[in-house]
Amino acid sequence: IGGIAMLQSFAYYVSILRKDFTEYCSNQLSGAGLSPGQLYFILYVGRHPGCAPGELSQALRMDAGHTNRSINKLIKDGFLIQEQNPHDRRAHILHLTKKGEDAFRLSHELFFRWDKEALKGLTNKEQEQLMGLLQKLHTEKGGTCCVRNDSQPC
């Protein structure tokens, strides 16, 4: 594949946008003591309080070792607490701390602000079309659309 074909590739644009979003998050999260990778752990636990580490690992498509290291770091840094599951004393559940809840709100603001900046050149109709097509691709690839506890889209 030649250079021009690559520049017209969907994968190319997804890669560039992901890199841009990651750099944006790194800059915005540095003061909060979070990395862009930890952001997704905070978002999932915030949307699913009381989730198990295995559920988190599966939802984020991460191996158990990476998930456990990330959870331990987030606990050490005061973003998460891990408690014994009251229904199964052998299992644990996760919750955000006050600091984690603040990071959860910040994370949502980051997504909103980046979206606003990245999509400012599109009309509302174009934005709706783009989001609809992306949701369709996500669903067809086996992804699910998560919904927060208050029924608002993620």
Side-chain angles (χ1 to χ4, degrees):
I1 295 178
I4 292 176
M6 185 183 83
L7 293 178
Q8 295 173 343
S9 160
F10 175 70
Y12 171 78
Y13 290 110
V14 169
S15 298
I16 295 299
L17 290 170
R18 176 165 173 106
K19 183 177 179 181
D20 185 64
F21 180 68
T22 300
E23 287 175 8
Y24 175 79
C25 287
S26 291
N27 293 334
Q28 299 295 313
L29 292 171
S30 62
L34 280 173
S35 71
Q38 293 170 323
L39 174 79
Y40 295 98
F41 289 88
I42 296 290
L43 286 168
Y44 190 85
V45 175
R47 284 189 215 114
H48 304 92
C51 65
E55 175 189 340
L56 178 60
S57 182
Q58 187 175 29
L60 297 180
R61 298 178 182 171
M62 306 259 179
D63 66 76
H66 177 74
T67 299
N68 286 329
R69 286 187 299 276
S70 296
I71 288 170
N72 289 335
K73 173 123 175 67
L74 289 166
I75 290 169
K76 180 179 167 252
D77 293 345
F79 292 99
L80 292 180
I81 55 171
Q82 183 170 256
E83 302 172 329
Q84 191 174 57
N85 185 327
H87 305 293
D88 181 354
R89 297 175 58 94
R90 297 167 295 164
H92 292 93
I93 56 175
L94 301 167
H95 292 279
L96 296 177
T97 62
K98 169 74 171 96
K99 185 176 179 181
E101 289 171 2
D102 291 343
F104 180 72
R105 280 189 292 281
L106 173 64
S107 300
H108 276 276
E109 291 171 17
L110 286 178
F111 275 75
F112 177 76
R113 288 194 312 250
W114 188 84
D115 284 0
K116 187 175 179 181
E117 180 64 26
L119 301 175
K120 70 182 178 188
L122 301 178
T123 66
N124 287 342
K125 183 171 179 61
E126 289 170 331
Q127 288 180 31
E128 289 172 16
Q129 290 172 330
L130 175 62
M131 294 307 292
L133 290 169
L134 290 171
Q135 287 171 353
K136 182 177 181 179
L137 285 171
H138 178 69
T139 301
E140 288 179 3
K141 291 291 289 174
T144 58
C145 183
C146 58
V147 176
R148 295 186 351 200
N149 292 339
D150 59 4
S151 299
Q152 295 297 313
C154 303

